[in-house]
Amino acid sequence: MRLRSVVIGATLAAMAACGSDDLQIDTVRITIPRGATLTAVADTLEQRGVVKSSRRFKLYARVSGRQRGIQAGTYDFPSGMPMRAVLETLVSGREALQSMVVPEGLALLEVADRIQEQVGVSADSFLLAARDTAVLARLGIAAPTLEGYLYPSTYHVRIGVTAQEVVVHMVEEFARRWKPGWDSTLSDLGWTRHQLVTLASIIEGEVRYAPDREYVSSVYHNRLDRGMRLQADPTVIYALGRRRRLYQRDYQTPSPYNTYLIDGLPPGPIGQPSAASIEAALHPITTGFLFFVARPDGKHVFTRTHAEHLNAVREVRRLEVELGIR
């Protein structure tokens, strides 16, 4: 038995070494369909130049005892990859990956379009998955949709990823970014996680200059404490359903999300907040500010009284005219 094991081991080593072929391209991408036979897999690998001999690959897979472990999927094989590594890749299921970048602040519809552009998952199927009650229950999201819980980040997903896999991956990233200490602070405030994420999404939609986050949060907390309406422009944009310059008539758009018309927070998030915005929503800086207006450079001017606010607005409008923005 020992001699036989030595012979088999030597044979495998020799075959694996012989599998390093001279390829004419840097990388070959191959899709192995579900249910494909070893012969079909080996023939495809030979035809595409990944291995030199289909027969040798089949023999190597059988002698190594892994012929039944090959998994369906899409794989990338670099030029000159040894036969051993080719088989290991197919058995491990390490599929080819593609990047998916989701910036902060995008609304659900915008995320769906971005995902479709980048990884080919249709926007409609993504929206269905983000609104699927079974998916929501599985992920522990007590809301009508996953709006606000699709964490903005850079992801690497497999070729052919499904809509449900994408939303689960993004919500799991949200959960991973959630700090345990936030729950105790929420309890002290008497807030729910959904309320916090809602406020954080508004802050995300408002802030372009990162140091302003805590101050914008302070204004919103101060207004909520005083029973004042938030009057947040990003909520009006969300109510309109598309991003564009706001006009006076837009502030009268009837919607439960329009914080110029409703008291308190809207019923849910208006986009996907970053951890920084969640942190700011939970820990606002202490100020007496009740108003702010954005300057052309993205920074905000914060004020305490309505009169001060009107003066700040006039100054910002003057700057916009000078810069040709208005």
Side-chain angles (χ1 to χ4, degrees), residues 32-73:
I32 305 299
R34 193 174 301 278
T37 63
L38 176 60
T39 296
V41 171
D43 288 347
T44 299
L45 293 173
E46 180 183 327
Q47 291 165 10
R48 298 293 302 279
V50 175
V51 300
K52 189 174 182 179
S53 169
S54 169
R55 182 187 62 79
R56 186 182 297 127
F57 179 82
K58 287 191 291 183
L59 180 59
Y60 178 63
R62 286 173 178 141
V63 172
S64 66
R66 292 183 289 178
Q67 71 273 24
R68 298 185 183 280
I70 294 174
Q71 300 186 43

Side-chain angles (χ1 to χ4, degrees), residues 9 18 32 40 102 111 133 136 141 147 149-150 163 195 201 205 213 221 227 242 254:
C18 291
I32 305 299
V102 180
V111 174
T133 54
L136 288 159
I141 306 297
E147 184 80 88
Y149 299 92
L150 302 166
Q195 288 174 315
S201 72
R213 289 184 202 274
H221 275 277
R242 61 191 179 96

Side-chain angles (χ1 to χ4, degrees), residues 53-220:
S53 169
S54 169
R55 182 187 62 79
R56 186 182 297 127
F57 179 82
K58 287 191 291 183
L59 180 59
Y60 178 63
R62 286 173 178 141
V63 172
S64 66
R66 292 183 289 178
Q67 71 273 24
R68 298 185 183 280
I70 294 174
Q71 300 186 43
T74 299
Y75 301 90
D76 283 340
F77 298 100
S79 174
M81 194 176 198
M83 187 184 296
R84 177 190 67 256
V86 172
L87 182 58
E88 287 176 353
T89 297
L90 293 171
V91 171
S92 69
R94 292 192 299 270
E95 294 188 64
L97 301 177
Q98 54 189 335
S99 294
M100 184 181 84
V101 182
V102 180
E104 298 87 349
L106 294 186
L108 180 59
L109 294 174
E110 296 170 316
V111 174
D113 289 338
R114 187 66 64 97
I115 299 302
Q116 178 172 286
E117 292 169 5
Q118 295 184 75
V119 299
V121 172
S122 78
D124 287 342
S125 64
F126 182 86
L127 292 172
L128 284 173
R131 294 166 177 159
D132 188 318
T133 54
V135 173
L136 288 159
R138 170 186 167 191
L139 295 172
I141 306 297
T145 76
L146 292 175
E147 184 80 88
Y149 299 92
L150 302 166
Y151 194 80
S153 186
T154 298
Y155 297 88
H156 299 286
V157 298
R158 68 178 184 84
I159 306 297
V161 67
T162 67
Q164 188 168 118
E165 287 171 345
V166 172
V167 299
V168 168
H169 194 22
M170 296 181 74
V171 175
E172 286 177 344
E173 181 64 12
F174 175 93
R176 192 181 72 79
R177 301 278 187 143
W178 186 268
K179 298 179 181 178
W182 288 351
D183 290 310
S184 59
T185 306
L186 272 178
S187 179
D188 293 340
L189 289 173
W191 279 34
T192 66
R193 182 181 68 167
H194 197 63
Q195 288 174 315
L196 175 66
V197 175
T198 298
L199 180 57
S201 72
I202 298 173
I203 294 170
E204 192 71 62
E206 195 71 66
V207 174
R208 287 167 52 198
Y209 178 61
D212 280 354
R213 289 184 202 274
E214 292 177 312
Y215 290 89
V216 170
S217 178
S218 177
V219 169
Y220 288 146

Side-chain angles (χ1 to χ4, degrees), residues 246-277:
L246 294 177
Y247 298 96
Q248 199 59 43
R249 65 178 180 275
D250 295 326
Y251 295 100
Q252 300 304 312
T253 301
S255 169
Y257 287 89
N258 184 351
T259 57
Y260 279 83
L261 301 181
I262 67 161
D263 297 328
L265 293 167
I270 62 167
Q272 320 315 312
S274 61
S277 288

Side-chain angles (χ1 to χ4, degrees), residues 300-320:
H300 290 86
V301 179
F302 298 91
T303 50
R304 290 173 172 79
T305 68
H306 190 249
E308 291 174 346
H309 175 62
L310 292 178
N311 286 334
V313 170
R314 281 192 288 268
E315 179 61 20
V316 167
R317 298 294 177 260
R318 184 187 66 78
L319 286 172
E320 290 177 338

